[in-house]
């Protein structure tokens, strides 16, 4: 598994995280940078090392791998010209949104040109009647929802970070609301893609945004989750949702991890239309409470949110309270005011930093397995036991409503023994999820970190099929090379 390579295991920990390490690569052709400037202008091209390093890593622990140049196109035509130029000279291309990924997806492991698409930030084609909007790659989810304020609509997919929406599509992101509103995949209706050679593709046809379609292969779903390996997503047409009339959120603590996860499964089986149901183990609950200065029991905890009409919400609350009580959970104090709810979810979204605060000076690595709901209780309990037996700091947090949970492993990368234990634990967890009929990544993507597990998950025929698709669309292997496959 690539965590071993990330940590430099077998190569000496001197090359572990915190030090720069670059792959060997071919230099840019003579006068190539001048050709880039001719397309977008001198101010929109940089070869400064500081800028390149800024664009050579995301929020993950993978070592920085900077591109040879960074460009900032302002329009789709410029993206096409730049792509055609890179294609002609066989220069690798790496898309960059906000850099909030967790699997090294923007690291330019073969150098080349980074396309920073943040200056393409138009919101267009908002249709209140069709519940849809189109956004360029520089638009983040918070910017879109701010734009939609007052319309009665919102875009609910929330990975925590204020990520770009096209970047979220590229990684197949989800988040806390996925149990009710789905991941990015069902919420993307159409994509405008610049292919590696500069051609323009509309995955559902130019200007089309049907709620469903059965016309040919589903090209939109092909590009959602492609992690920048097939083309540049330069416009995404998204499905919007009505804002709920009423919302209520609450926390409840349980005597054991098993009880908390059993409660989650029973809430879903009872068809309670829960909008969010998040799990924190006792380590994470304590860390989040301290970091956000909130009173939270140091116990396995669920954070829940319900959406609906005022009448239906009362029924949902009663159903939820009954199920919580049956599983030994504490009384729920419902927060219905916006400020109170925002404080609760801000605490949850700071879980990563809360975990890192447990061991100042150490670094973190987040696992991302997802398993069928029926197997969730057993897998979570087994993983918790494995963490304890391994002597690792790995508070658990998860979108357990759809079977997805994370262990945020906080460790000293300079401690070879601890790094080896982290490596072994992540391999066991990934294979435990696969054995349970799940996946090695529910929302972060494959990137650099999970390529070995992808073969075990899909099998050789599955991986060969992916490679055939990649070869058909990117025969020169220039789009974000070294990722996924």
């Amino acid at each position: 598994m690539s965590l071993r390579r990330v940590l430099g295991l077998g190569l000496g920990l001197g090359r572990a995280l915190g030090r720069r390490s670059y792959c060997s690569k071919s230099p840019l052709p003579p006068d190539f940078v001048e050709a880039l400037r001719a397309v977008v202008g001198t101010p929109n091209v940089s070869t400064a090392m500081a800028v390149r390093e800024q664009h050579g890593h995301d929020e993950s622990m993978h070592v920085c791998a900077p591109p040879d140049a960074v460009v900032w196109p302002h329009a789709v035509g410029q993206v096409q010209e730049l792509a055609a130029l890179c294609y002609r000279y066989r220069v690798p291309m790496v898309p960059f949104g906000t850099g909030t990924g967790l699997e090294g997806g923007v690291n330019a492991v073969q150098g080349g040109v980074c396309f920073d698409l943040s200056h393409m930030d138009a919101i267009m084609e908002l249709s209140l009647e069709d519940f849809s909007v189109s956004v360029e790659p520089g638009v983040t989810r918070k910017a879109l929802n701010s734009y939609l304020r007052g319309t009665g609509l919102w875009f609910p997919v929330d990975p925590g970070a204020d990520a770009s929406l096209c970047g979220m599509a590229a990684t197949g992101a989800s988040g806390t609301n996925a149990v009710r509103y789905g991941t990015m995949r069902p919420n993307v209706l159409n994509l405008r893609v610049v292919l590696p050679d500069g051609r323009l593709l509309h995955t559902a046809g130019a200007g089309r945004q049907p709620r469903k379609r059965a016309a040919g292969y589903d090209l939109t779903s092909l590009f959602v989750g492609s992690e920048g390996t097939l083309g540049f997503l330069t416009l995404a047409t998204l499905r919007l949702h009505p804002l709920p009339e009423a919302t209520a959120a609450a926390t409840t603590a349980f005597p054991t991890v098993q009880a908390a996860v059993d409660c989650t499964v029973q809430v879903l089986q009872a068809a309670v239309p829960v909008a969010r149901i998040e799990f924190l183990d006792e380590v994470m609950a304590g860390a989040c409470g301290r970091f956000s200065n909130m009173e939270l029991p140091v116990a396995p905890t669920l954070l829940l949110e319900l959406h609906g009409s005022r009448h239906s919400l009362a029924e949902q609350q009663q159903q939820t309270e009954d199920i919580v009580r049956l599983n030994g959970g504490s009384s729920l104090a419902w927060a219905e005011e916006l400020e109170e709810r925002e404080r609760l979810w801000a605490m949850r979204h700071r879980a990563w930093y809360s975990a890192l605060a447990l061991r100042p000076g150490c670094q973190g690595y987040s696992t991302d397995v997802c398993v069928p709901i029926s197997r969730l209780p057993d897998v979570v309990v087994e993983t918790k036991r494995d963490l304890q037996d391994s002597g690792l700091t790995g508070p658990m947090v998860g979108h357990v409503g759809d079977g997805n949970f994370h262990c945020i492993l906080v460790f000293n990368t300079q401690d070879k023994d601890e790094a080896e234990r982290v490596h072994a634990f992540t391999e066991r967890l990934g294979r435990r999820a696969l054995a349970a009929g799940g996946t090695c990544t529910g929302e972060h993507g494959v990137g650099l970190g999970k390529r070995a597990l992808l073969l075990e998950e899909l099998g050789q025929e599955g991986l060969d099929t992916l490679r055939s698709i990649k070869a058909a669309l990117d025969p020169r292997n220039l789009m974000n090379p070294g990722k996924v496959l």
Side-chain angles (χ1 to χ4, degrees), residues 140-142 144-145 154-163 165 168-169 172-178 181-188 238-239 241 276 349 443:
T140 66
R141 65 174 187 86
K142 287 184 179 179
L144 175 59
N145 281 325
W154 71 314
F155 187 73
V157 182
D158 176 8
D162 189 23
L165 290 157
M168 287 165 59
S174 59
T176 57
N177 286 309
Y181 299 99
T183 66
M184 282 300 291
R185 199 173 299 277
N187 284 290
V188 178
L238 305 174
R239 183 192 304 265
H241 297 259
R276 309 194 215 200
H349 286 319
E443 58 185 8

Side-chain angles (χ1 to χ4, degrees), residues 13 80 126 155 166 168 172 188 231 283 292 294 333 337-339 362-363 372 377 383 393 467 470 472:
L13 287 176
Q80 289 183 267
L126 171 62
F155 187 73
C166 285
M168 287 165 59
V188 178
V283 181
S292 297
M294 291 183 67
E337 295 301 319
L338 177 62
E339 184 177 350
C362 291
Q363 292 182 301
T383 301
T393 301
R467 288 188 173 126
K470 168 74 168 172

Side-chain angles (χ1 to χ4, degrees), residues 203-328:
T203 58
R208 305 191 186 282
Q209 50 191 34
R211 303 290 284 187
K212 63 180 183 179
R213 59 190 300 273
Y217 301 138
D218 189 350
L219 296 178
T220 304
S221 288
L222 172 63
F223 281 88
V224 174
S226 60
E227 302 186 42
T229 63
L230 300 179
F232 296 95
L233 310 189
T234 62
L235 190 74
T237 301
L238 305 174
R239 183 192 304 265
L240 301 177
H241 297 259
L243 279 167
E245 177 189 351
T247 302
T251 64
T252 177
F254 292 84
T256 64
V257 169
Q258 181 82 49
V261 181
D262 284 344
C263 181
T264 300
V265 174
Q266 290 168 28
V267 166
L268 298 174
Q269 289 173 335
V272 177
V274 63
R276 309 194 215 200
I277 184 163
E278 297 285 299
F279 167 73
L280 312 176
D281 74 355
E282 71 279 4
V283 181
M284 183 61 86
C288 284
R290 287 190 298 273
F291 190 82
S292 297
N293 196 27
M294 291 183 67
E295 291 185 12
L296 205 63
V298 182
T301 299
L302 290 181
L303 283 62
L304 304 101
E305 186 167 278
L306 305 174
H307 294 174
S309 67
R310 297 195 183 281
H311 176 71
S312 67
L313 201 64
E315 292 182 349
Q316 294 176 34
Q317 287 172 299
Q318 186 60 57
Q319 273 185 290
T320 304
E321 289 171 4
D322 291 343
I323 296 170
V324 166
R325 194 178 306 113
L326 284 171
N327 286 278

